[in-house]
Amino acid sequence: MTKTDAARSGFDEVLVLTQDGHLSEGSAMNVFIVRDGVLITPPVTDNILEGITRKTVMAVAAEELRLPVVERQIDRTEIYLSQELLLTGTAAQVTAVTWVDHRPIGDGVMGRSPRNCAGCQ
């Protein structure tokens, strides 16, 4: 139902919150944010789907990109402050999100976050 409501409102996807207002997941997708050089994802205790794509993204980030990975609750306001937001899953693969609630994530352009684009205008 949340995906249908999002589509009716003109959005491509939905972000689901826990009962206490923390970011949980997308519709059948895991969610990650990058904030201050750290890849953050909700813990499995936040009723998220555990999956191979999530596990793979975490491993690649830590082992190949040397990006610290933290599993913790994500407050809704952190979404707007993040430099990057990713949705992952078997069907979604790894999908960059550039806008949430009509607000840009990073600079609103896929592949050009403030973290990896020094001097981009």
Side-chain angles (χ1 to χ4, degrees), residues 30-78:
N30 295 112
V31 63
F32 292 86
I33 66 168
V34 175
R35 184 161 184 211
D36 300 325
V38 177
L39 183 68
I40 306 166
T41 191
V44 294
T45 54
D46 274 0
N47 263 351
I48 65 164
L49 299 168
E50 291 186 66
I52 187 89
T53 309
R54 176 180 185 268
K55 187 175 181 177
T56 301
V57 166
M58 293 169 70
V60 168
E63 296 165 16
E64 301 293 326
L65 302 176
R66 303 285 185 238
L67 193 63
V69 178
V70 175
E71 291 181 79
R72 67 163 175 80
Q73 291 185 322
I74 300 172
D75 190 71
R76 180 181 179 165
T77 59
E78 286 186 272

Tab-separated table of all heavy atoms in Angstrom, residues 30-78:
chain	number	residue	atom	x	y	z
A	30	ASN	N	16.620	-2.752	0.787
A	30	ASN	CA	17.391	-2.214	1.903
A	30	ASN	C	17.827	-0.804	1.565
A	30	ASN	O	17.926	-0.425	0.402
A	30	ASN	CB	18.614	-3.082	2.178
A	30	ASN	CG	18.228	-4.467	2.640
A	30	ASN	OD1	18.445	-5.431	1.935
A	30	ASN	ND2	17.647	-4.585	3.820
A	31	VAL	N	18.087	-0.042	2.598
A	31	VAL	CA	18.473	1.349	2.394
A	31	VAL	C	19.809	1.620	3.079
A	31	VAL	O	20.102	1.058	4.141
A	31	VAL	CB	17.367	2.312	2.907
A	31	VAL	CG1	17.163	2.180	4.400
A	31	VAL	CG2	17.648	3.742	2.532
A	32	PHE	N	20.613	2.445	2.426
A	32	PHE	CA	21.907	2.874	2.957
A	32	PHE	C	22.016	4.378	2.751
A	32	PHE	O	21.543	4.898	1.735
A	32	PHE	CB	23.072	2.244	2.175
A	32	PHE	CG	23.211	0.768	2.342
A	32	PHE	CD1	22.500	-0.104	1.536
A	32	PHE	CD2	24.082	0.241	3.281
A	32	PHE	CE1	22.647	-1.470	1.664
A	32	PHE	CE2	24.236	-1.125	3.422
A	32	PHE	CZ	23.513	-1.988	2.613
A	33	ILE	N	22.645	5.053	3.690
A	33	ILE	CA	23.021	6.448	3.475
A	33	ILE	C	24.527	6.563	3.673
A	33	ILE	O	25.131	5.746	4.367
A	33	ILE	CB	22.283	7.445	4.405
A	33	ILE	CG1	22.672	7.263	5.868
A	33	ILE	CG2	20.779	7.385	4.211
A	33	ILE	CD1	22.195	8.391	6.785
A	34	VAL	N	25.102	7.563	3.039
A	34	VAL	CA	26.495	7.918	3.306
A	34	VAL	C	26.450	9.285	3.964
A	34	VAL	O	25.864	10.231	3.424
A	34	VAL	CB	27.342	7.964	2.016
A	34	VAL	CG1	28.756	8.453	2.337
A	34	VAL	CG2	27.371	6.601	1.350
A	35	ARG	N	27.027	9.346	5.141
A	35	ARG	CA	27.082	10.601	5.893
A	35	ARG	C	28.446	10.713	6.547
A	35	ARG	O	28.864	9.787	7.253
A	35	ARG	CB	25.976	10.639	6.937
A	35	ARG	CG	25.937	11.954	7.661
A	35	ARG	CD	24.626	12.197	8.357
A	35	ARG	NE	24.675	13.533	8.932
A	35	ARG	CZ	24.049	13.884	10.020
A	35	ARG	NH1	23.291	13.025	10.643
A	35	ARG	NH2	24.164	15.102	10.479
A	36	ASP	N	29.123	11.812	6.299
A	36	ASP	CA	30.444	12.061	6.888
A	36	ASP	C	31.417	10.913	6.617
A	36	ASP	O	32.176	10.502	7.497
A	36	ASP	CB	30.328	12.329	8.393
A	36	ASP	CG	29.466	13.548	8.700
A	36	ASP	OD1	29.505	14.520	7.908
A	36	ASP	OD2	28.750	13.534	9.714
A	37	GLY	N	31.372	10.364	5.393
A	37	GLY	CA	32.310	9.320	5.014
A	37	GLY	C	32.032	7.947	5.581
A	37	GLY	O	32.896	7.080	5.548
A	38	VAL	N	30.825	7.723	6.109
A	38	VAL	CA	30.454	6.442	6.702
A	38	VAL	C	29.202	5.917	6.000
A	38	VAL	O	28.239	6.661	5.794
A	38	VAL	CB	30.177	6.587	8.214
A	38	VAL	CG1	29.726	5.280	8.825
A	38	VAL	CG2	31.408	7.129	8.934
A	39	LEU	N	29.216	4.634	5.617
A	39	LEU	CA	28.037	3.987	5.056
A	39	LEU	C	27.201	3.480	6.220
A	39	LEU	O	27.681	2.703	7.053
A	39	LEU	CB	28.447	2.826	4.147
A	39	LEU	CG	27.309	2.110	3.431
A	39	LEU	CD1	26.662	3.037	2.395
A	39	LEU	CD2	27.815	0.843	2.773
A	40	ILE	N	25.960	3.931	6.296
A	40	ILE	CA	25.085	3.607	7.427
A	40	ILE	C	23.849	2.894	6.909
A	40	ILE	O	23.257	3.304	5.901
A	40	ILE	CB	24.674	4.901	8.174
A	40	ILE	CG1	25.913	5.700	8.587
A	40	ILE	CG2	23.802	4.562	9.384
A	40	ILE	CD1	25.604	7.127	9.023
A	41	THR	N	23.459	1.852	7.591
A	41	THR	CA	22.265	1.092	7.242
A	41	THR	C	21.554	0.678	8.527
A	41	THR	O	22.201	0.479	9.564
A	41	THR	CB	22.625	-0.137	6.379
A	41	THR	OG1	21.428	-0.716	5.848
A	41	THR	CG2	23.429	-1.162	7.140
A	42	PRO	N	20.232	0.586	8.489
A	42	PRO	CA	19.511	0.161	9.694
A	42	PRO	C	19.909	-1.253	10.115
A	42	PRO	O	20.239	-2.089	9.265
A	42	PRO	CB	18.042	0.195	9.264
A	42	PRO	CG	17.996	1.142	8.119
A	42	PRO	CD	19.307	0.948	7.408
A	43	PRO	N	19.862	-1.521	11.412
A	43	PRO	CA	20.191	-2.866	11.899
A	43	PRO	C	19.048	-3.838	11.604
A	43	PRO	O	17.905	-3.425	11.390
A	43	PRO	CB	20.352	-2.655	13.409
A	43	PRO	CG	19.425	-1.521	13.712
A	43	PRO	CD	19.500	-0.617	12.503
A	44	VAL	N	19.353	-5.114	11.624
A	44	VAL	CA	18.318	-6.117	11.370
A	44	VAL	C	17.213	-6.066	12.428
A	44	VAL	O	16.093	-6.491	12.177
A	44	VAL	CB	18.909	-7.538	11.264
A	44	VAL	CG1	19.804	-7.643	10.046
A	44	VAL	CG2	19.649	-7.929	12.520
A	45	THR	N	17.499	-5.507	13.578
A	45	THR	CA	16.489	-5.398	14.633
A	45	THR	C	15.419	-4.344	14.312
A	45	THR	O	14.431	-4.247	15.026
A	45	THR	CB	17.149	-5.056	15.980
A	45	THR	OG1	17.952	-3.878	15.818
A	45	THR	CG2	18.011	-6.203	16.467
A	46	ASP	N	15.621	-3.567	13.240
A	46	ASP	CA	14.604	-2.591	12.817
A	46	ASP	C	13.630	-3.198	11.811
A	46	ASP	O	13.024	-2.496	11.008
A	46	ASP	CB	15.263	-1.343	12.208
A	46	ASP	CG	15.632	-0.323	13.264
A	46	ASP	OD1	15.378	-0.565	14.459
A	46	ASP	OD2	16.180	0.729	12.897
A	47	ASN	N	13.460	-4.525	11.862
A	47	ASN	CA	12.511	-5.238	11.008
A	47	ASN	C	12.806	-5.088	9.524
A	47	ASN	O	11.896	-4.916	8.716
A	47	ASN	CB	11.073	-4.780	11.282
A	47	ASN	CG	10.356	-5.691	12.219
A	47	ASN	OD1	10.847	-6.770	12.553
A	47	ASN	ND2	9.180	-5.287	12.644
A	48	ILE	N	14.074	-5.135	9.152
A	48	ILE	CA	14.439	-5.017	7.744
A	48	ILE	C	14.569	-6.398	7.115
A	48	ILE	O	14.682	-7.406	7.817
A	48	ILE	CB	15.753	-4.241	7.564
A	48	ILE	CG1	16.923	-5.019	8.171
A	48	ILE	CG2	15.646	-2.847	8.142
A	48	ILE	CD1	18.275	-4.543	7.729
A	49	LEU	N	14.573	-6.415	5.810
A	49	LEU	CA	14.837	-7.638	5.073
A	49	LEU	C	16.340	-7.890	5.083
A	49	LEU	O	17.113	-6.999	4.762
A	49	LEU	CB	14.377	-7.497	3.619
A	49	LEU	CG	12.906	-7.222	3.388
A	49	LEU	CD1	12.673	-6.831	1.936
A	49	LEU	CD2	12.092	-8.449	3.748
A	50	GLU	N	16.737	-9.074	5.466
A	50	GLU	CA	18.152	-9.430	5.361
A	50	GLU	C	18.343	-10.066	3.994
A	50	GLU	O	17.564	-10.901	3.586
A	50	GLU	CB	18.534	-10.424	6.448
A	50	GLU	CG	18.512	-9.822	7.829
A	50	GLU	CD	19.031	-10.791	8.844
A	50	GLU	OE1	20.226	-11.137	8.799
A	50	GLU	OE2	18.228	-11.216	9.685
A	51	GLY	N	19.363	-9.631	3.287
A	51	GLY	CA	19.538	-10.177	1.955
A	51	GLY	C	20.979	-10.208	1.515
A	51	GLY	O	21.859	-9.573	2.103
A	52	ILE	N	21.221	-10.962	0.442
A	52	ILE	CA	22.561	-11.118	-0.093
A	52	ILE	C	23.073	-9.811	-0.685
A	52	ILE	O	24.254	-9.503	-0.580
A	52	ILE	CB	22.614	-12.263	-1.139
A	52	ILE	CG1	24.052	-12.538	-1.560
A	52	ILE	CG2	21.768	-11.949	-2.348
A	52	ILE	CD1	24.743	-13.530	-0.707
A	53	THR	N	22.198	-9.008	-1.293
A	53	THR	CA	22.644	-7.745	-1.880
A	53	THR	C	23.096	-6.795	-0.782
A	53	THR	O	24.132	-6.135	-0.909
A	53	THR	CB	21.540	-7.106	-2.739
A	53	THR	OG1	21.044	-8.083	-3.661
A	53	THR	CG2	22.056	-5.909	-3.502
A	54	ARG	N	22.347	-6.724	0.302
A	54	ARG	CA	22.728	-5.882	1.443
A	54	ARG	C	24.093	-6.306	1.979
A	54	ARG	O	24.986	-5.485	2.177
A	54	ARG	CB	21.668	-5.978	2.539
A	54	ARG	CG	22.009	-5.209	3.810
A	54	ARG	CD	20.871	-5.377	4.836
A	54	ARG	NE	21.110	-4.575	6.016
A	54	ARG	CZ	21.744	-5.024	7.107
A	54	ARG	NH1	22.187	-6.273	7.159
A	54	ARG	NH2	21.913	-4.232	8.141
A	55	LYS	N	24.234	-7.596	2.179
A	55	LYS	CA	25.492	-8.132	2.708
A	55	LYS	C	26.660	-7.850	1.752
A	55	LYS	O	27.752	-7.480	2.183
A	55	LYS	CB	25.346	-9.635	2.933
A	55	LYS	CG	26.506	-10.283	3.618
A	55	LYS	CD	26.206	-11.753	3.891
A	55	LYS	CE	27.365	-12.407	4.610
A	55	LYS	NZ	27.078	-13.801	4.936
A	56	THR	N	26.417	-7.970	0.461
A	56	THR	CA	27.455	-7.723	-0.536
A	56	THR	C	27.856	-6.258	-0.570
A	56	THR	O	29.046	-5.933	-0.630
A	56	THR	CB	26.983	-8.191	-1.929
A	56	THR	OG1	26.676	-9.593	-1.869
A	56	THR	CG2	28.040	-7.929	-2.988
A	57	VAL	N	26.875	-5.363	-0.526
A	57	VAL	CA	27.183	-3.919	-0.519
A	57	VAL	C	28.021	-3.568	0.700
A	57	VAL	O	28.998	-2.817	0.596
A	57	VAL	CB	25.890	-3.082	-0.581
A	57	VAL	CG1	26.151	-1.621	-0.237
A	57	VAL	CG2	25.248	-3.202	-1.952
A	58	MET	N	27.675	-4.117	1.838
A	58	MET	CA	28.433	-3.849	3.059
A	58	MET	C	29.874	-4.360	2.925
A	58	MET	O	30.821	-3.676	3.326
A	58	MET	CB	27.725	-4.465	4.264
A	58	MET	CG	26.398	-3.790	4.569
A	58	MET	SD	25.387	-4.681	5.767
A	58	MET	CE	26.335	-4.442	7.259
A	59	ALA	N	30.047	-5.547	2.356
A	59	ALA	CA	31.384	-6.126	2.194
A	59	ALA	C	32.215	-5.326	1.194
A	59	ALA	O	33.392	-5.027	1.451
A	59	ALA	CB	31.275	-7.587	1.749
A	60	VAL	N	31.630	-4.964	0.063
A	60	VAL	CA	32.365	-4.192	-0.946
A	60	VAL	C	32.760	-2.830	-0.390
A	60	VAL	O	33.888	-2.368	-0.582
A	60	VAL	CB	31.535	-4.046	-2.239
A	60	VAL	CG1	32.133	-3.014	-3.174
A	60	VAL	CG2	31.407	-5.391	-2.940
A	61	ALA	N	31.842	-2.184	0.313
A	61	ALA	CA	32.146	-0.867	0.895
A	61	ALA	C	33.319	-0.965	1.859
A	61	ALA	O	34.242	-0.152	1.814
A	61	ALA	CB	30.924	-0.304	1.601
A	62	ALA	N	33.292	-1.957	2.719
A	62	ALA	CA	34.345	-2.096	3.734
A	62	ALA	C	35.664	-2.580	3.146
A	62	ALA	O	36.723	-2.013	3.424
A	62	ALA	CB	33.879	-3.051	4.831
A	63	GLU	N	35.598	-3.612	2.311
A	63	GLU	CA	36.830	-4.256	1.843
A	63	GLU	C	37.448	-3.579	0.623
A	63	GLU	O	38.670	-3.471	0.536
A	63	GLU	CB	36.544	-5.721	1.537
A	63	GLU	CG	36.142	-6.501	2.781
A	63	GLU	CD	35.512	-7.854	2.466
A	63	GLU	OE1	35.639	-8.337	1.320
A	63	GLU	OE2	34.879	-8.416	3.376
A	64	GLU	N	36.621	-3.143	-0.314
A	64	GLU	CA	37.139	-2.570	-1.560
A	64	GLU	C	37.263	-1.046	-1.498
A	64	GLU	O	38.227	-0.476	-1.988
A	64	GLU	CB	36.254	-2.963	-2.746
A	64	GLU	CG	36.139	-4.454	-2.968
A	64	GLU	CD	37.441	-5.096	-3.401
A	64	GLU	OE1	38.221	-4.449	-4.131
A	64	GLU	OE2	37.691	-6.250	-2.989
A	65	LEU	N	36.275	-0.399	-0.924
A	65	LEU	CA	36.261	1.072	-0.876
A	65	LEU	C	36.851	1.625	0.412
A	65	LEU	O	37.010	2.834	0.544
A	65	LEU	CB	34.829	1.586	-1.059
A	65	LEU	CG	34.124	1.177	-2.350
A	65	LEU	CD1	32.688	1.661	-2.353
A	65	LEU	CD2	34.888	1.687	-3.562
A	66	ARG	N	37.118	0.740	1.374
A	66	ARG	CA	37.645	1.155	2.680
A	66	ARG	C	36.742	2.194	3.339
A	66	ARG	O	37.196	3.115	4.010
A	66	ARG	CB	39.073	1.692	2.565
A	66	ARG	CG	40.045	0.732	1.961
A	66	ARG	CD	40.407	-0.351	2.967
A	66	ARG	NE	41.449	-1.222	2.403
A	66	ARG	CZ	41.295	-2.538	2.266
A	66	ARG	NH1	40.184	-3.097	2.644
A	66	ARG	NH2	42.247	-3.272	1.769
A	67	LEU	N	35.454	2.013	3.148
A	67	LEU	CA	34.447	2.906	3.717
A	67	LEU	C	33.920	2.254	4.989
A	67	LEU	O	33.465	1.105	4.951
A	67	LEU	CB	33.317	3.096	2.704
A	67	LEU	CG	32.310	4.196	2.909
A	67	LEU	CD1	32.973	5.574	2.852
A	67	LEU	CD2	31.236	4.115	1.828
A	68	PRO	N	33.989	2.932	6.119
A	68	PRO	CA	33.437	2.344	7.340
A	68	PRO	C	31.943	2.058	7.171
A	68	PRO	O	31.219	2.862	6.580
A	68	PRO	CB	33.656	3.425	8.403
A	68	PRO	CG	34.692	4.331	7.840
A	68	PRO	CD	34.554	4.264	6.353
A	69	VAL	N	31.498	0.925	7.665
A	69	VAL	CA	30.094	0.519	7.585
A	69	VAL	C	29.551	0.402	8.998
A	69	VAL	O	30.138	-0.272	9.841
A	69	VAL	CB	29.928	-0.818	6.843
A	69	VAL	CG1	28.466	-1.241	6.809
A	69	VAL	CG2	30.507	-0.725	5.431
A	70	VAL	N	28.429	1.070	9.248
A	70	VAL	CA	27.823	1.064	10.573
A	70	VAL	C	26.356	0.657	10.441
A	70	VAL	O	25.627	1.208	9.611
A	70	VAL	CB	27.920	2.461	11.236
A	70	VAL	CG1	27.177	2.488	12.555
A	70	VAL	CG2	29.379	2.855	11.415
A	71	GLU	N	25.939	-0.298	11.259
A	71	GLU	CA	24.529	-0.662	11.345
A	71	GLU	C	23.974	0.023	12.585
A	71	GLU	O	24.389	-0.279	13.704
A	71	GLU	CB	24.370	-2.173	11.478
A	71	GLU	CG	24.757	-2.942	10.239
A	71	GLU	CD	24.565	-4.429	10.425
A	71	GLU	OE1	23.404	-4.888	10.333
A	71	GLU	OE2	25.576	-5.111	10.691
A	72	ARG	N	23.062	0.964	12.356
A	72	ARG	CA	22.428	1.669	13.473
A	72	ARG	C	21.133	2.292	12.979
A	72	ARG	O	20.883	2.383	11.784
A	72	ARG	CB	23.353	2.728	14.050
A	72	ARG	CG	23.639	3.898	13.108
A	72	ARG	CD	24.198	5.092	13.877
A	72	ARG	NE	24.600	6.185	13.042
A	72	ARG	CZ	23.781	7.092	12.506
A	72	ARG	NH1	22.485	7.019	12.695
A	72	ARG	NH2	24.272	8.087	11.785
A	73	GLN	N	20.318	2.743	13.921
A	73	GLN	CA	19.084	3.420	13.536
A	73	GLN	C	19.412	4.724	12.812
A	73	GLN	O	20.389	5.402	13.139
A	73	GLN	CB	18.222	3.700	14.757
A	73	GLN	CG	17.642	2.434	15.366
A	73	GLN	CD	16.699	2.730	16.504
A	73	GLN	OE1	16.935	3.630	17.291
A	73	GLN	NE2	15.629	1.959	16.592
A	74	ILE	N	18.589	5.045	11.820
A	74	ILE	CA	18.759	6.268	11.040
A	74	ILE	C	17.529	7.136	11.257
A	74	ILE	O	16.409	6.736	10.941
A	74	ILE	CB	18.922	5.955	9.539
A	74	ILE	CG1	20.145	5.067	9.304
A	74	ILE	CG2	19.019	7.246	8.721
A	74	ILE	CD1	20.270	4.545	7.874
A	75	ASP	N	17.743	8.314	11.817
A	75	ASP	CA	16.643	9.240	12.035
A	75	ASP	C	16.185	9.805	10.694
A	75	ASP	O	16.990	9.999	9.778
A	75	ASP	CB	17.098	10.380	12.955
A	75	ASP	CG	15.932	11.237	13.395
A	75	ASP	OD1	15.117	10.753	14.214
A	75	ASP	OD2	15.826	12.375	12.896
A	76	ARG	N	14.923	10.096	10.569
A	76	ARG	CA	14.379	10.613	9.310
A	76	ARG	C	15.116	11.872	8.845
A	76	ARG	O	15.361	12.051	7.658
A	76	ARG	CB	12.891	10.905	9.464
A	76	ARG	CG	12.276	11.428	8.208
A	76	ARG	CD	10.815	11.727	8.372
A	76	ARG	NE	10.322	12.257	7.108
A	76	ARG	CZ	9.062	12.357	6.817
A	76	ARG	NH1	8.153	11.963	7.677
A	76	ARG	NH2	8.690	12.857	5.662
A	77	THR	N	15.480	12.746	9.759
A	77	THR	CA	16.151	13.986	9.359
A	77	THR	C	17.523	13.730	8.756
A	77	THR	O	18.006	14.537	7.966
A	77	THR	CB	16.294	14.946	10.557
A	77	THR	OG1	17.051	14.300	11.587
A	77	THR	CG2	14.949	15.369	11.092
A	78	GLU	N	18.144	12.601	9.105
A	78	GLU	CA	19.451	12.284	8.545
A	78	GLU	C	19.395	12.029	7.041
A	78	GLU	O	20.397	12.197	6.344
A	78	GLU	CB	20.051	11.056	9.229
A	78	GLU	CG	20.553	11.310	10.616
A	78	GLU	CD	21.264	10.099	11.157
A	78	GLU	OE1	20.588	9.241	11.752
A	78	GLU	OE2	22.495	10.006	10.963
